[in-house]
Amino acid sequence: MRRLLIAGNWKMNMKLDSAKALASGLKEAAAGITEVDIAVCPPSVYIAPVAEALAGSNIACGAQNAYFEKAGAFTGEVEMAMLTDLGCKYVILGHSERRHIMGESSELVNLKVHAALKAGLIPIVCVGELLKEREAGVTDLVNRRQFDGSFSGVSAEDMKKCVIAYEPVWAIGTGKVATPDQAQEVHANLRALIAERYGKEVADVVRIQYGGSVKAENAKDLLGQSDIDGALVGGASLKVDAFMGIINAVK
Ligand code: 13P
């Protein structure tokens, strides 16, 4: 049985005080919840204070991105080992905002996936189609390409550790949510693809989260689908009540 993973992607939001307050508020509100895995991914400069505020809680810390190289002359970048150093468990890789705003390719995401696994981090690898791709009927093709590119060379044992986040780009920050049926269809196709590449045993354990305008009101229906194993939450992860509303709706 796959455990649900509810992760908050804070994106480029918060300041030091609000980040610490959100972390402390979540620690208190989520105390005692053992039915689901919970994580928050603050901006990298706030990981240390957030991890400190979450110490002793059931909420793990993650990062939103990192570079694939080992320490060296890479101005402005963060190494995977720096994230484990701060107590991170997860790292989001290949988020659509990085693919489409920063121009990250699946080849680059792939290098990062290997580096994250080597460092002992759990990569949360995002895939998802643009609205025009969905309308052109190439949703599965786009997701398959992003999956194959991002996981190239990853062993079956490592694949089992990875998390995939299906985030249709047209549903991110727009208030437009994929219907549970639309999301389930893509999730089932992604799981079938994992089975094709790695076999059923691996496909059965890999968690596939849904992301895109998830909130307390729609979380139960989405996460009630058989192949949806959690949520990657943007806007609704920035307030204790909104994030806890999602967790309480699905736990
Ligand atoms: P929203 O929940 O704000 O739509 O963001 C989704 C997302 O991109 C999470 O990574």
Side-chain angles (χ1 to χ4, degrees), residues 7-11 92 95-97 126 165 167-169 171-176 210-215 231-238 246:
N9 174 8
W10 293 3
K11 306 193 179 184
I92 300 171
H95 190 279
S96 64
E97 284 145 24
C126 305
E167 299 206 318
V169 180
I172 296 178
T174 57
K176 271 190 213 151
Y210 170 80
S213 300
V214 176
K215 41 187 191 280
L232 187 55
V233 185
S237 72
L238 299 175
I246 294 170

Side-chain angles (χ1 to χ4, degrees), residues 11-134:
K11 306 193 179 184
M12 198 174 75
N13 291 296
M14 297 288 149
K15 295 288 184 286
L16 182 57
D17 283 351
S18 50
K20 287 201 282 193
L22 177 55
S24 306
L26 289 173
K27 176 179 177 172
E28 199 182 317
I33 295 180
T34 53
E35 301 91 333
V36 297
D37 290 342
I38 308 171
V40 293
C41 303
S44 57
V45 292
Y46 297 140
I47 290 171
V50 165
E52 195 180 322
L54 292 174
S57 77
N58 50 353
I59 304 173
C61 219
Q64 300 172 17
N65 177 44
Y67 200 47
F68 66 89
E69 291 281 10
K70 285 231 184 307
F74 302 102
T75 302
E77 294 294 338
V78 169
E79 185 196 12
M80 299 289 172
M82 295 171 181
L83 302 180
T84 50
D85 200 17
L86 295 181
C88 283
K89 180 171 181 183
Y90 301 95
V91 59
I92 300 171
L93 296 173
H95 190 279
S96 64
E97 284 145 24
R98 298 211 58 85
R99 291 182 188 267
H100 297 292
I101 303 173
M102 316 299 171
E104 276 195 18
S105 64
S106 289
E107 289 71 28
L108 179 57
V109 175
N110 182 240
L111 290 168
K112 294 181 174 193
V113 168
H114 283 281
L117 287 163
K118 216 168 185 177
L121 288 161
I122 297 174
I124 299 177
V125 179
C126 305
V127 300
E129 79 286 357
L130 299 165
L131 181 58
K132 62 176 186 211
E133 292 167 334
R134 174 161 281 266

